[in-house]
Amino acid sequence: TGLTTVLWGQVRPGTTNRYRLLRFADGRWAPVGADRWTTARGYLQRAVRAAPGTRYRLWIPAAHTYSAILTIR
């Protein structure tokens, strides 16, 4: 409680995608748990414990790309 934040978004509309949630800590991007899958429409939702200033991004292996960086406020 208190530091729980829900991250949500859409990776790619209309299809299921595997994604990896990454958190920036100690000067590097590290995975947060195991890879997960979006819904059939490409949506995702993850609850994380995050203090203000924590940075996250997604890695989408099928597209060989990263998302924009999200900073918790």
Side-chain angles (χ1 to χ4, degrees):
T1 63
L3 296 177
T4 301
T5 300
V6 177
L7 306 176
W8 58 272
Q10 187 175 35
V11 171
R12 183 175 181 154
T15 184
T16 300
N17 283 283
R18 182 169 58 101
Y19 70 92
R20 182 173 302 144
L21 180 62
L22 303 168
R23 177 178 51 229
F24 192 76
D26 299 323
R28 68 181 190 94
W29 289 99
V32 178
D35 289 5
R36 297 217 184 151
W37 292 87
T38 64
T39 66
R41 293 186 178 185
Y43 290 100
L44 65 100
Q45 182 174 314
R46 295 275 292 268
V48 296
R49 290 186 51 83
T54 305
R55 292 185 286 172
Y56 289 93
R57 71 178 178 182
L58 300 176
W59 165 246
I60 299 92
H64 302 285
T65 192
Y66 292 97
S67 70
I69 296 169
L70 174 69
T71 303
I72 304 300
R73 298 186 349 176

